């Protein structure tokens, strides 16, 4: 992931968190410093055994393996670092050299996914763990360090530190995931294939940009319909089949709160495509567990002239579909 693209992703998250009420707790200077760091700091690996190290910001985006150290220069009461890997990877996070005072209200928590003011990715409907088990709390652990492994290619760490010179080191490692499910894309353009083999579960591929999505291959257990239907409300045709693909759009990260754009529960003879003019565009594969379901798709960033005209306070008009 390039420095420029990582900065663009962080800018989006700051914009999104501002709309959702998070940045009122996070000081602007730290956010600005974090963006400047991403834009100006070239992260290059010189060899296979190179160990990357850099300071961790109060608001940060991490897409590189390495060691990231936070030392408070003043009270930092609401900090968060978003961690992202490639679609076919999961993330291991490990804390060391922790110097915080839990009794004074300091904390460090790792979350399995991303969360912004109650909106979670993956949503509670799609994640294999209940919400409370997705948090790992340093202050509740008796161990000197803390480690956690994500279920998908994104994870997050929250921390609050009151005293100057207190802090910790975060180690980020990535591991191959042979069956990726619930993916946050680092890029606004690309292609991907999701497969669910005989499992009753749901998998989402989220692109936090307005994009055009083109379905190139679809193999589902049963054919219940023969058309792709644009939606203004939730239809029961494909959802009743138990095996189908949804296209969703919205301005948050929780897929359960997004607008259904279309559903598809058959294998089309040609390409099915749709433009989604939202901050977040999602392909969601729902599986009954009775079959091997597979969907392949391509996606590209919409040009400025393809974006919908907006009306103030109207999410449906903003997230216009074509």
């Amino acid at each position: 992931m390039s420095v420029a693209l990582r900065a663009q992703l962080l800018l989006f998250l700051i914009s999104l968190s501002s709309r959702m009420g998070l940045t009122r707790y996070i000081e602007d200077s730290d956010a600005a410093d974090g963006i400047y760091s991403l834009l100006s700091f070239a992260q290059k690996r010189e060899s296979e055994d190179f160990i990357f190290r850099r300071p961790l910001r109060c608001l940060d985006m991490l897409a590189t393996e390495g060691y990231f150290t936070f030392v408070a220069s003043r009270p930092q009461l609401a900090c968060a670092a978003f961690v992202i890997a490639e679609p076919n990877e999961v993330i291991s996070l490990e804390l060391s050299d922790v110097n915080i005072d839990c009794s004074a209200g300091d904390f460090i928590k790792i979350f399995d996914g991303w969360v912004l003011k109650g909106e979670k990715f993956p949503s509670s409907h799609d994640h294999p763990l209940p919400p409370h088990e997705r948090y790992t709390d340093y202050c509740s652990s008796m161990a000197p360090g803390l480690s956690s492994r994500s279920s998908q290619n994104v994870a997050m760490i929250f921390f609050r530190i009151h005293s100057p010179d207190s802090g910790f080191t975060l180690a980020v490692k990535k591991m191959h995931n042979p069956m990726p499910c619930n993916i946050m894309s680092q890029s606004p353009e690309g292609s991907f294939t999701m497969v669910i083999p005989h499992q009753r579960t749901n998998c989402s591929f989220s692109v936090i940009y307005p994009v055009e999505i083109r379905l190139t291959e679809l193999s589902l257990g049963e054919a219940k319909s023969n058309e792709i239907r644009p939606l203004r409300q939730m239809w029961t045709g494909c959802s009743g089949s138990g095996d189908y693909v949804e296209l969703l759009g919205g301005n948050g990260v929780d897929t359960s709160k997004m607008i259904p754009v279309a559903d598809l529960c058959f294998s089309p003879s040609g390409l099915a495509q749709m433009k989604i003019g939202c901050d977040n565009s999602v392909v969601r594969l729902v599986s009954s567990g009775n079959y091997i379901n597979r969907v392949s798709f391509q996606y590209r960033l919409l040009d400025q002239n393809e974006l919908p005209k907006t009306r103030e306070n109207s999410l449906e008009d903003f997230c216009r579909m074509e």
Side-chain angles (χ1 to χ4, degrees), residues 262-281:
D263 61 5
L264 192 64
C265 48
F266 76 107
S267 299
S269 57
L271 295 179
Q273 65 185 58
M274 183 163 289
K275 297 176 182 178
I276 304 179
C278 297
D279 283 346
N280 194 6
S281 309

Side-chain angles (χ1 to χ4, degrees), residues 15-30:
S15 173
L16 180 62
S17 61
S18 177
R19 288 195 298 272
M20 301 177 71
L22 178 67
T23 50
R24 59 194 173 101
Y25 301 111
I26 299 176
E27 274 138 10
D28 293 338
S29 59
D30 292 297

Side-chain angles (χ1 to χ4, degrees), residues 269-322:
S269 57
L271 295 179
Q273 65 185 58
M274 183 163 289
K275 297 176 182 178
I276 304 179
C278 297
D279 283 346
N280 194 6
S281 309
V282 172
V283 179
R284 184 169 181 259
L285 178 60
V286 178
S287 178
S288 65
N290 298 322
Y291 311 97
I292 298 176
N293 293 328
R294 175 189 180 100
V295 59
S296 298
F297 53 91
Q298 300 170 347
Y299 54 99
R300 67 166 183 87
L301 184 66
L302 293 180
D303 295 331
Q304 192 66 34
N305 60 4
E306 295 179 284
L307 295 176
K309 304 290 185 182
T310 65
R311 295 180 188 174
E312 189 174 359
N313 299 325
S314 177
L315 179 63
E316 184 173 351
D317 286 334
F318 182 81
C319 294
R320 188 170 300 169
M321 323 305 171
E322 296 180 3

Side-chain angles (χ1 to χ4, degrees), residues 227-243:
E227 61 180 357
I228 183 170
R229 294 191 289 265
L231 298 181
R232 288 303 176 186
Q233 58 184 350
M234 177 60 75
W235 292 72
T236 59
C238 280
S239 61
S241 72
D243 298 273

Side-chain angles (χ1 to χ4, degrees), residues 58-115:
C58 180
L59 180 61
D60 214 334
M61 167 66 69
L62 307 179
T64 305
E65 289 184 318
Y67 292 84
F68 305 87
T69 300
F70 182 83
V71 179
S73 59
R74 52 190 171 84
Q76 299 282 9
L77 303 184
C79 298
F82 300 88
V83 188
I84 190 167
E86 295 299 322
N88 63 345
E89 294 177 328
V90 292
I91 301 164
S92 171
L93 300 179
E94 184 173 357
L95 296 174
S96 62
D97 301 326
V98 180
N99 175 28
I100 66 172
D101 187 352
C102 295
S103 64
D106 294 356
F107 67 75
I108 306 173
K109 296 181 181 181
I110 297 173
F111 182 72
D112 187 4
W114 281 359
V115 59

